[in-house]
């Protein structure tokens, strides 16, 4: 994982024409060399002991201690109290291994008669399980750790050691990974109790450290973790240096921006298509941009609020004008109707009074 990320960094720097930043990243290559070292590693010693007719677990441990390269390796050690153990200092931490059962598990003996019986099966699945290794096997995948022990007959064996099989499978896996574009997904177990909504910080940090995530983050921070294309950088940060907008091509504008805000040349690298910056520089530029855009946003908000308030006031005035006009119109209509009713009443009274007078005059003439 760390090696893959480091190689991606190197490829990016080479593509952009930028000087590579040396980083002492730590991976598991030295420990893998101790285990898989050809002719002297732990697996090679184990296979050699399994070839011996009288090879046993203690012979394997003695073989490790007699090997100067193994004993003097930085990732190999011995325990003080337990004599039948050895220690391998893995990337994730030191692990003690008890040699009891190593040789028996590595031989994984299968009788020839059993293998021949299964090879005669008509099931393709069993044929693939018991197929014999190719005669032209590579040198780094030994297929003979375990000569036929004394006893002859049906007790003879035909097998490939477990360590050799594992090494072959691992090499095939690494070839497949190196031929593809891998994407790494790290699953973190939040606690050891299998309990919901419980997060153990120490356990999570230990998993991230063992998985190489913390080392990859450290390696990334030592380089230039913030990457922008020239156009993206200009579009994002040109507002803090508006006088640089006429500097020419996007690459020249990027250079003019970092020069205008006086960025230390060691804190950024300008490539062919990208600009790489330290995290501290980007944080400072983001703060400047936030302050600038924040001030402009307040001015814009003030203008918008003023516009909305004026429009609301005009609306209220229009509503009030319509209300007053309506009230006046209603008053005029009521006044007109009242006057008409009063005039009709007066006319009726006058007509009644004239009629009464005429009647009285007629009675007086009689």
């Amino acid at each position: 994982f760390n090696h893959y990320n480091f190689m991606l960094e190197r490829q990016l720097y080479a593509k952009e024409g930028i000087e590579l930043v040396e980083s002492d990243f730590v991976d598991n290559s030295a420990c893998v060399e101790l285990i898989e070292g050809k002719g002297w590693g732990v697996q090679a010693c184990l296979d050699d002991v399994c070839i011996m007719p009288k090879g046993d677990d203690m012979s394997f441990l003695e073989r490790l201690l007699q090997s100067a390269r193994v004993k003097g390796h930085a990732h190999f050690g011995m325990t003080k109290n337990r004599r039948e153990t050895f220690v391998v200092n893995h990337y994730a931490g030191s692990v003690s291994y008890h040699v009891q059962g190593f040789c028996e598990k590595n031989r994984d003996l299968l009788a020839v008669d059993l293998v021949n019986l299964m090879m005669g099966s008509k099931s393709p699945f069993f044929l693939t399980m018991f197929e014999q290794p190719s005669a032209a096997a590579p040198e780094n995948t030994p297929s003979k750790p375990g000569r036929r022990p004394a006893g002859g007959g049906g007790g003879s064996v035909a097998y490939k050691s477990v360590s050799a099989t594992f090494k072959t499978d691992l090499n095939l896996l690494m070839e497949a990974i190196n031929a593809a574009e891998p994407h790494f997904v790290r699953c973190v177990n939040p606690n050891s109790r299998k309990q919901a909504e419980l997060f153990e910080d120490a356990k999570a940090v230990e998993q991230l450290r063992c998985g190489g995530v913390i080392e990859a983050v450290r390696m990334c921070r030592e380089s230039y973790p913030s990457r922008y294309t020239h156009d993206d950088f200009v579009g994002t940060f040109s507002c803090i240096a508006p006088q640089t907008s006429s500097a020419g091509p996007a690459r020249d504008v990027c250079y003019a921006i970092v020069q205008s805000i006086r960025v230390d040349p060691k804190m950024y690298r300008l490539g062919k298509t990208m600009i790489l910056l330290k995290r501290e520089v980007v944080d400072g530029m983001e703060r400047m941009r936030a302050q600038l855009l924040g001030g402009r946003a307040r001015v814009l908000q003030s203008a918008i609020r003023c516009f909305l308030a004026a429009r609301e006031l005009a609306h209220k005035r229009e509503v009030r004008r319509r209300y007053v006009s309506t009230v006046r119109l209603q008053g005029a209509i009521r006044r007109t109707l009242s006057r008409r009713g009063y005039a009709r009443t007066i006319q009726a009274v006058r007509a009644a009074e004239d009629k009464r007078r005429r009647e009285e005059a007629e009675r007086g003439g009689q």
Side-chain angles (χ1 to χ4, degrees), residues 46-55 102-116 119 129-134 137 141-150 154-166 168:
L46 180 60
D47 289 340
D48 290 342
V49 171
C50 290
I51 293 175
M52 300 169 56
K54 296 183 179 181
F102 259 62
C103 292
E104 180 182 356
K105 294 177 181 178
N106 186 56
R107 290 191 179 102
D108 193 23
L109 302 181
L110 285 177
V112 176
D113 296 340
L114 177 59
V115 174
N116 292 335
M119 288 297 295
M129 290 180 61
F130 292 91
E131 64 182 356
Q132 296 295 327
S134 176
T141 56
S143 58
K144 62 172 185 177
R147 294 174 180 172
R148 300 181 180 182
S156 60
V157 296
Y159 66 93
K160 187 178 181 180
S161 71
V162 174
S163 61
T165 303
F166 173 77
T168 301

Side-chain angles (χ1 to χ4, degrees), residues 114-248:
L114 177 59
V115 174
N116 292 335
L117 175 63
M118 301 308 298
M119 288 297 295
S121 173
K122 296 181 180 180
S123 172
F125 175 70
F126 286 110
L127 292 178
T128 57
M129 290 180 61
F130 292 91
E131 64 182 356
Q132 296 295 327
S134 176
E139 293 183 359
N140 59 348
T141 56
S143 58
K144 62 172 185 177
R147 294 174 180 172
R148 300 181 180 182
S156 60
V157 296
Y159 66 93
K160 187 178 181 180
S161 71
V162 174
S163 61
T165 303
F166 173 77
K167 187 175 181 180
T168 301
D169 294 343
L170 183 60
N171 289 336
L172 294 175
L173 174 62
M174 293 305 300
E175 290 177 1
I177 291 178
N178 294 331
E181 295 182 359
H183 297 271
F184 296 93
V185 178
R186 295 298 185 189
C187 299
V188 179
N189 186 8
N191 60 80
S192 55
R193 306 178 187 177
K194 298 181 179 180
Q195 182 178 343
E197 299 182 359
L198 176 61
F199 192 87
E200 298 176 356
D201 297 346
K203 183 176 180 61
V205 171
E206 182 67 17
Q207 292 176 77
L208 295 175
R209 186 181 67 82
C210 295
V213 177
I214 294 180
E215 181 66 20
V217 172
R218 183 191 68 83
M219 180 177 62
C220 183
R221 289 182 63 88
E222 287 183 357
S223 59
Y224 299 90
S226 299
R227 290 89 186 267
Y228 297 88
T229 62
H230 294 160
D231 293 334
D232 290 343
F233 185 79
V234 171
T236 304
F237 297 110
S238 60
C239 58
I240 64 178
Q243 70 278 7
T244 62
S245 58
S246 60

Side-chain angles (χ1 to χ4, degrees), residues 290-334:
Q291 292 175 358
L292 179 63
L293 297 182
R296 294 180 179 179
R298 285 191 292 271
V299 173
L300 180 60
Q301 290 174 354
S302 176
I304 293 175
R305 290 193 185 100
C306 180
F307 170 76
L308 294 176
R311 190 173 66 174
E312 181 68 17
L313 178 60
H315 175 69
K316 290 182 177 180
R317 286 178 175 176
E318 179 65 20
V319 171
R320 181 174 178 80
R321 186 188 65 80
R322 292 181 180 180
Y323 173 75
V324 171
S325 300
T326 303
V327 171
R328 287 177 179 176
L329 180 61
Q330 289 176 350
I333 293 174
R334 290 191 186 99

Side-chain angles (χ1 to χ4, degrees), residues 343-363:
R344 285 195 295 268
T345 302
I346 293 298
Q347 291 176 0
V349 171
R350 286 177 180 178
E353 183 66 23
D354 292 341
K355 183 179 180 181
R356 185 181 62 78
R357 287 176 182 178
R358 285 195 302 268
E359 291 177 353
E360 289 180 354
E362 290 178 356
R363 285 196 299 269

